[in-house]
Amino acid sequence: MVQKYIIALDQGTTSSRAVIFNHEGMIVGKAQKEFAQIYPFPGWVEHDPLEIWDTQLAAIREVLDQTDINPDDIVGLGIANQRETTVVWNRFTGKPVYHAIVWQCRRTTELCEQILNSTLNEYISDATGLVADAYFSGTKIRWILDHIPDGQAMAEKGDLLFGTIDSWLVWNLTKGRLHITDYSNASRTMLYNIRELAWDDKILSYLNIPRSLLPEVCPSSLCCGVTDSSIFGAEIPIAGIAGDQQAALFGQACFTEGMVKNTYGTGCFILMNTGKNMIRSQNKLLTTIAWGIDNGVEYALEGSVFIGGAVIQWLRDELGLLKTSAESEYYATQVKDTNGVYIVPAFVGLGAPYWDMHARGIVTGLTRGANRFHLVRAALESIAYQTNDVLALMAKDTGIRLKALKVDGGAADNNFLLQFQADLSGIPVERSEICEVTALGAAYLAGLAAGYWKDKEELKCLSKGRFISDSNITESERQQYLSGWKAAVSQATYRTV
């Protein structure tokens, strides 16, 4: 009997991956292609959408060649993508009209502040579950239409299409036959009403964004179409789509209300499954759609930390304190503490729970005795502090005592970081044995729709992980750490914390 497989695309902020999974949920092969980061001005971040497509296509072809798997034996394709990143393209030529504006980009801060000071602010929070911030797609679309020749006129004529990266990939995979997104990605645009499950006319009107730009919104687990046969020599069903963080939540098998995961990637993204309950945070966390499945949607609370693992890349690439990111674990363990040093990596402002677009990174507590080991340790600790800020408020919002934190992402390989996280948060930290959890979640969603796996119960049996450690510090020590962190953040923020 011929073995069948699922292929998952994990289109991230710095690279495009393609991963093939078998029925046991194990990785059969994977390929990865990096692409350029474009920084036109301070605080601006862009990608070339054509390069994203080229690298994603190259990764797919490489993993198929590497494994010698026939495309006819791929029963479903799942997509996980960097969220909020905004592409606008011409529906007739298929060419982008501007670079993709990346989720990290802060260029629309001024417009967001206008919204924050308007009567629409509370409505956006209630309808979309988000806050008015440059992070989300809505104001990025407005900026593109304002800064390309005849942008608004072309949009009103119906010549332009908008999509997050999943939409852009599906458009190219189907040679322009499908312009779709899923519930999870739609919920990250600041244009989608997560109560009514529809694009919101009031917000669209305020931003003057024609509805004709927007993709059709589909369930996250659904055979919605097939790839064009000319691309791979076979029509592969496109059966799963989810924003990368929701995909990771699914890949961690966080199917039960109250389960929490954190992905330590470029940023940190902490999500708690809240099931059918759309919980409105009283503490500046986001309410978002986790996924659309089984003829309905499930929700999540989310805290988005903009700079997570990227702070270690900064030490490596900009300051030259490290040769590789992996060295950070060794350096951090060479000193017993940070010698009073705190780093607040607010390089692109601060996300949850501060939502300060003007905050900027600082290093505080420096004395003559501070050295590179202290700085590296402080950088790693900053990732755990930011995560803890969110975890504490999730527990407060829901009344649920967190039993464990499931973790994945590149920085989750760092044992020092995970131990400090367990110490700081007072809960066990569980690291997945499968490193490609985001891709796994996309594969799970596609596999369910394609009938490759029967149901979530079967997926739970595939889930693997192990506990790293419980907290081993006293409550007094924990409070001392947190007090120092709060003081450091207060110095980095534009508004009073």
Side-chain angles (χ1 to χ4, degrees):
M1 190 172 174
V2 177
Q3 174 78 284
K4 300 293 184 179
Y5 304 93
I6 295 284
I7 188 168
L9 314 185
D10 180 4
Q11 203 300 300
T13 307
T14 59
S15 68
S16 300
R17 290 188 182 94
V19 187
I20 296 178
F21 293 92
N22 64 18
H23 197 264
E24 287 68 48
M26 302 303 293
I27 295 172
V28 176
K30 63 180 178 178
Q32 176 176 333
K33 303 291 181 183
E34 294 187 355
F35 54 86
Q37 307 295 303
I38 303 166
Y39 307 105
F41 299 102
W44 290 32
V45 191
E46 298 177 357
H47 293 156
D48 179 349
L50 294 175
E51 187 182 10
I52 286 177
W53 167 239
D54 287 344
T55 54
Q56 188 64 79
L57 185 59
I60 298 169
R61 288 175 170 161
E62 181 177 315
V63 76
L64 288 171
D65 289 343
Q66 173 195 117
T67 57
D68 201 28
I69 290 174
N70 190 313
D72 284 320
D73 295 325
I74 304 289
V75 300
L77 179 148
I79 296 173
N81 57 284
Q82 54 167 314
R83 306 172 305 170
E84 299 93 21
T85 295
T86 298
V87 185
V88 176
W89 66 94
N90 186 297
R91 79 159 67 232
F92 301 108
T93 67
K95 301 297 184 184
V97 297
Y98 191 82
H99 278 156
I101 300 182
V102 179
W103 59 272
Q104 298 166 314
C105 188
R106 312 310 293 168
R107 75 184 66 190
T108 62
T109 295
E110 186 176 337
L111 175 54
C112 291
E113 288 184 331
Q114 292 174 20
I115 296 172
L116 287 168
N117 294 318
S118 76
T119 56
L120 191 69
N121 183 42
E122 186 60 32
Y123 179 82
I124 285 177
S125 177
D126 188 61
T128 70
L130 309 178
V131 298
D133 191 88
Y135 177 25
F136 305 109
S137 311
T139 58
K140 300 180 194 298
I141 300 171
R142 183 65 263 156
W143 191 95
I144 291 174
L145 297 184
D146 286 339
H147 289 82
I148 63 169
D150 302 319
Q152 187 65 29
M154 285 195 295
E156 291 176 0
K157 272 176 59 182
D159 292 352
L160 303 182
L161 298 176
F162 150 75
T164 41
I165 295 297
D166 57 306
S167 299
W168 172 242
L169 292 179
V170 170
W171 172 269
N172 283 284
L173 285 166
T174 62
K175 294 290 184 76
R177 290 196 305 276
L178 285 180
H179 181 217
I180 63 171
T181 189
D182 88 299
Y183 287 120
S184 71
N185 278 295
S187 75
R188 309 301 297 182
T189 61
M190 210 179 79
L191 303 174
Y192 194 72
N193 192 310
I194 63 172
R195 295 180 183 275
E196 300 176 2
L197 301 183
W199 296 113
D200 193 284
D201 288 327
K202 186 172 182 178
I203 303 172
L204 291 173
S205 176
Y206 181 91
L207 291 172
N208 198 17
I209 295 173
R211 183 181 276 267
S212 61
L213 263 76
L214 306 176
E216 177 187 354
V217 183
C218 300
S220 310
S221 182
L222 175 74
C223 289
C224 55
V226 296
T227 63
D228 192 88
S229 59
S230 67
I231 298 177
F232 306 116
E235 293 182 342
I236 300 175
I238 300 171
I241 301 173
D244 52 9
Q245 303 312 320
Q246 287 95 328
L249 188 70
F250 206 81
Q252 290 277 21
C254 291
F255 304 144
T256 305
E257 188 175 337
M259 295 184 75
V260 184
K261 75 87 192 175
N262 184 22
T263 298
Y264 296 90
T266 302
C268 288
F269 300 91
I270 306 98
L271 272 71
M272 173 189 277
N273 184 335
T274 62
K276 301 292 183 183
N277 298 315
M278 195 180 77
I279 295 176
R280 285 291 307 279
S281 174
Q282 302 303 307
N283 296 286
K284 298 184 180 179
L285 301 182
L286 304 178
T287 306
T288 197
I289 295 177
W291 42 70
I293 194 170
D294 299 332
N295 299 313
V297 299
E298 295 179 20
Y299 295 93
L301 270 182
E302 175 172 341
S304 305
V305 173
F306 296 154
I307 299 295
V311 70
I312 304 303
Q313 295 170 341
W314 171 68
L315 292 181
R316 182 194 68 195
D317 300 338
E318 309 305 329
L319 300 190
L321 297 184
L322 301 167
K323 290 182 180 177
T324 67
S325 296
E327 288 181 342
S328 62
E329 181 174 347
Y330 169 78
Y331 280 20
T333 57
Q334 298 310 294
V335 286
K336 63 182 178 62
D337 55 35
T338 66
N339 198 31
V341 175
Y342 285 84
I343 294 178
V344 182
F347 302 149
V348 290
L350 283 173
Y354 307 103
W355 295 111
D356 189 335
M357 293 179 280
H358 293 276
R360 287 297 176 262
I362 63 164
V363 181
T364 185
L366 288 173
T367 59
R368 182 64 182 83
N371 59 39
R372 78 159 68 179
F373 300 135
H374 297 123
L375 284 169
V376 172
R377 182 169 177 136
L380 282 171
E381 289 187 359
S382 77
I383 302 172
Y385 281 121
Q386 293 177 95
T387 298
N388 185 71
D389 285 341
V390 173
L391 292 173
L393 295 179
M394 280 182 171
K396 191 173 181 180
D397 273 333
T398 62
I400 297 173
R401 183 179 178 276
L402 307 185
K403 295 180 180 178
L405 175 65
K406 293 194 171 190
V407 302
D408 57 86
D413 289 339
N414 191 301
N415 290 328
F416 169 82
L417 170 60
L418 298 192
Q419 179 59 57
F420 189 74
Q421 187 74 74
D423 289 341
L424 200 62
S425 303
I427 56 175
V429 173
E430 182 182 350
R431 177 169 55 201
S432 173
E433 288 181 5
I434 293 183
C435 58
E436 301 288 354
V437 173
T438 301
L440 181 62
Y444 280 170
L445 288 165
L448 288 174
Y452 190 65
W453 291 295
K454 181 182 177 183
D455 52 28
K456 291 178 185 175
E457 290 304 313
E458 183 178 0
L459 298 181
K460 285 180 184 178
C461 297
L462 304 179
S463 180
K464 300 177 180 66
R466 64 184 180 89
F467 285 101
I468 302 304
S469 181
D470 284 317
S471 173
N472 60 14
I473 64 172
T474 67
E475 185 59 28
S476 174
E477 289 173 310
R478 181 179 296 115
Q479 291 306 318
Q480 187 175 351
Y481 281 131
L482 293 174
S483 176
W485 169 250
K486 185 175 181 181
V489 171
S490 70
Q491 296 175 60
T493 52
Y494 176 70
R495 300 179 180 86
T496 303
V497 177

